[in-house]
Amino acid sequence: MQPYRQLTRSPVLAKNTLFNLVGYGFPLIVALYCIPKIVVGLGTDRFGVLTLAWVLIGYFGLLDLGLGRALTQVVAERLGTDQTDEIPATIWTALLGMLVLSLFLSTILFFCSNFLVLRFLNIPPELVEETVGAFHWVAISVPVVIISVGLRGILEAYQRFDLVNAVRIPLGIFSFAAPLAVIPFTVKLQWVIMALFLGRLFAAGGQFLFCRQIIPGLISRFSMDTKGFWILMRFGGWMTVTNIINPLLVHVDRFFIASLLSTTAVAYYATPSEMIMKIALLSGALMSVLFPAISTSFKIDRQRSAFLLERGLIYVFLGIFPLLVILFSLAPEGLAIWLDEEFMRNSSSVTRILLAGVLFYCMGQIPYAFIQGAGRPDLTGKLHLIELPLYIFFVILGIHWAGIAGAAIIWALRFIGDTTCMLLMAKKLLGNHDFQIKPVMVAVSMSFPAMGMLALPVPLSWRMMGCILVLVAFLCLAWRYLLSAGEKDMINHVLRTASHWRGIHRG
């Protein structure tokens, strides 16, 4: 079997997606338990600052000049063409570049923390000093976070998502459990962030050991590749633009809420938003697997890439829409049980708006991975350059117009436009190798009236009946229009096998 076919085989991709789902799911369960206790332990204002620190840590993980993503793309391509001798030099070249960049960014954030806290954030006076201290620890974390991105990218290029998640699961759990473990001793934010830093340091060490295990000669064949560096930089240049702007487009609304309203408003907005964004881990699990697969197949077998794009979109919609319908129906009651009635009063409408928008955010991850795997990150970079000033302008208007609900509406509308544009770009890149997107887009369009019905101010029992009707209609339409004949046969086979074994068990 040709190397690229081995790396893009459906069983391999399915297994790795399952690994990712498990890797994302375990920390999510821990988060559901820990976040309410963290809110109580730290208080609403301190928790608002902690959410900003989480955003900054994640954001700086993307400020790597695109080298992490470029490293995955180049290593995957060389694995597919059996050019493995060049891989160690490529890895060391990329990691050294990432280290130099991360030290530069860390220094800037460390010395600008005081200015950032005092001038741009509406922090209560009694929390200013510890917020600055917390941001100092975020700055110290930057080199570890960026190098960790590169190491994870190497493992993903080798399709070793078992090893990726052997690190991701403990780190994800630790990210929520560490603050809870620190709170009995102190609620000072700098100690909480220091604990998070130590967890990331150990995780990066584990990733390096795994890379050394799967790449023979990684240490003994240490060398630099000047030509390979410029190949990485050409790909990473536009990835840098995307990596800088895309997290701003996702999270900048929180900073404007903190500036124009209060950190308490950030908590009412960010707490449901954090949990809703965890839904995107389902599509992210597939996206991170498709990216190296498309990187190896686009130039060699474009029809295979078109197939991966089409089925990826359909699988994301099939997997996420039922969950969104249930959460949309139960949003007020869920907030009251998970947090308290104050959050229910202040966050219910925001939660439903964000749930509608996250459907497009999740689906947009698939063409996003396709465009970059095809070697055209300049397209997403240019799109996001255009979107950023427009989004900032409208999110400020939205906050003045309707507070945190206005910010949520603008956030959702941005992703509708973003996903539509990326689908058009992907269609153009494929040329004659088309993909069928009309059925899934019709299904997505029909989802909005369904969600509108479930948002009516009616008793819970009525909403539950509406939820069941929507899910039944969804299953019928999905079976008729979205699943292929082969997929239907596979499902029927699984159901027959399950029925057979159930009959044997009863007998």
Side-chain angles (χ1 to χ4, degrees):
M1 181 180 294
Q2 294 178 340
Y4 91 90
R5 290 190 178 276
Q6 177 65 30
L7 291 171
T8 62
R9 289 173 57 238
S10 295
V12 172
L13 302 181
K15 178 188 68 175
N16 288 334
T17 302
L18 181 61
F19 278 135
N20 280 347
L21 289 173
V22 174
Y24 291 141
F26 269 83
L28 178 59
I29 294 171
V30 174
L32 287 169
Y33 172 79
C34 290
I35 285 181
K37 296 182 179 298
I38 295 172
V39 173
V40 173
L42 291 179
T44 305
D45 285 327
R46 278 193 175 90
F47 182 74
V49 175
L50 178 60
T51 62
L52 297 180
W54 276 332
V55 170
L56 282 175
I57 290 173
Y59 182 64
F60 277 100
L62 299 175
L63 294 180
D64 60 350
L65 290 180
L67 291 175
R69 196 75 161 175
L71 185 58
T72 304
Q73 205 264 354
V74 173
V75 171
E77 186 177 280
R78 289 179 177 172
L79 283 171
T81 54
D82 204 23
Q83 297 176 322
T84 55
D85 290 343
E86 302 175 15
I87 290 176
T90 300
I91 290 173
W92 286 115
T93 302
L95 291 180
L96 180 61
M98 297 170 79
L99 177 61
V100 172
L101 171 68
S102 64
L103 291 173
F104 174 71
L105 293 173
S106 176
T107 303
I108 291 176
L109 178 60
F110 190 92
F111 288 105
C112 292
S113 294
N114 193 68
F115 177 79
L116 176 65
V117 171
L118 292 176
R119 294 296 184 89
F120 289 96
L121 301 177
N122 187 16
I123 303 295
E126 65 273 13
L127 295 182
V128 168
E129 182 179 353
E130 63 181 276
T131 301
V132 172
F135 278 31
H136 283 164
W137 275 106
V138 171
I140 295 171
S141 303
V142 169
V144 177
V145 171
I146 289 181
I147 293 297
S148 181
V149 170
L151 295 172
R152 186 183 69 233
I154 297 166
L155 297 174
E156 290 179 351
Y158 277 82
Q159 292 288 345
R160 291 305 304 269
F161 286 88
D162 54 338
L163 301 181
V164 169
N165 288 287
V167 174
R168 176 181 284 144
I169 292 173
L171 179 61
I173 293 173
F174 187 83
S175 296
F176 295 103
L180 197 60
V182 171
I183 286 172
F185 302 96
T186 177
V187 295
K188 298 293 185 182
L189 289 167
Q190 54 265 48
W191 292 101
V192 174
I193 305 302
M194 185 183 73
L196 296 177
F197 162 74
L198 292 175
R200 287 188 172 273
L201 184 63
F202 280 106
Q207 288 174 321
F208 180 77
L209 292 176
F210 285 143
C211 289
R212 183 179 178 182
Q213 173 187 334
I214 67 173
I215 305 173
L218 178 62
I219 303 296
S220 61
R221 295 167 60 188
F222 175 86
S223 62
M224 306 301 294
D225 181 4
T226 304
K227 181 181 177 181
F229 178 75
W230 292 113
I231 292 174
L232 292 166
M233 287 299 296
R234 280 196 295 272
F235 184 93
W238 279 107
M239 274 303 308
T240 302
V241 175
T242 298
N243 285 348
I244 292 173
I245 295 177
N246 198 36
L248 284 174
L249 290 167
V250 176
H251 296 300
V252 75
D253 47 359
R254 303 181 188 188
F255 290 91
F256 282 109
I257 290 170
S259 177
L260 299 175
L261 299 176
S262 66
T263 53
T264 301
V266 174
Y268 290 137
Y269 183 89
T271 303
S273 176
E274 279 296 317
M275 297 313 302
I276 288 169
M277 289 302 291
K278 299 301 181 186
I279 297 172
L281 299 179
L282 299 173
S283 56
L286 179 59
M287 181 191 75
S288 60
V289 173
L290 286 180
F291 171 66
I294 292 169
S295 297
T296 61
S297 65
F298 184 78
K299 292 182 180 179
I300 303 171
D301 188 353
R302 197 158 295 188
Q303 190 60 49
R304 177 64 177 170
S305 296
F307 173 80
L308 293 174
L309 172 63
E310 176 186 323
R311 303 321 295 173
L313 286 165
I314 290 174
Y315 293 156
V316 167
F317 180 72
L318 293 178
I320 288 177
F321 182 72
L323 178 60
L324 293 181
V325 168
I326 295 170
L327 293 176
F328 200 90
S329 302
L330 303 177
E333 292 78 11
L335 285 169
I337 295 171
W338 180 45
L339 296 167
D340 54 40
E341 292 190 1
E342 184 178 357
F343 267 88
M344 181 189 72
R345 290 191 298 270
N346 288 282
S347 301
S348 291
S349 60
V350 167
T351 299
R352 281 174 163 163
I353 296 167
L354 295 175
L355 283 169
V358 84
L359 175 62
F360 280 88
Y361 175 75
C362 293
M363 295 190 65
Q365 288 184 301
I366 304 304
Y368 178 79
F370 177 87
I371 292 167
Q372 292 179 1
R376 292 301 304 274
D378 59 305
L379 296 178
T380 53
K382 292 171 184 176
L383 175 63
H384 293 152
L385 276 174
I386 295 170
E387 288 180 352
L388 181 60
L390 294 173
Y391 178 64
I392 290 175
F393 173 76
F394 283 108
V395 82
I396 292 173
L397 287 182
I399 293 171
H400 283 296
W401 164 55
I404 58 176
I409 291 171
I410 300 302
W411 186 90
L413 290 175
R414 205 280 292 183
F415 280 114
I416 293 174
D418 184 73
T419 300
T420 302
C421 289
M422 287 193 292
L423 286 172
L424 294 175
M425 291 175 181
K427 187 177 180 67
K428 185 174 181 180
L429 286 173
L430 283 169
N432 295 329
H433 303 275
D434 205 354
F435 66 103
Q436 298 298 318
I437 190 58
K438 184 177 179 180
V440 71
M441 294 311 295
V442 170
V444 171
S445 300
M446 294 173 62
S447 68
F448 282 96
M451 288 186 175
M453 179 186 71
L454 297 175
L456 294 174
V458 296
L460 176 61
S461 58
W462 286 37
R463 276 184 279 131
M464 290 300 299
M465 290 177 59
C467 177
I468 294 171
L469 290 174
V470 169
L471 291 176
V472 170
F474 162 78
L475 290 174
C476 294
L477 292 173
W479 183 268
R480 176 67 178 84
Y481 296 106
L482 299 182
L483 294 176
S484 67
E487 290 162 347
K488 293 176 183 178
D489 290 340
M490 182 183 68
I491 292 172
N492 284 327
H493 175 71
V494 171
L495 293 176
R496 284 195 299 267
T497 302
S499 177
H500 172 73
W501 283 105
R502 187 167 57 248
I504 292 176
H505 177 71
R506 288 177 178 175

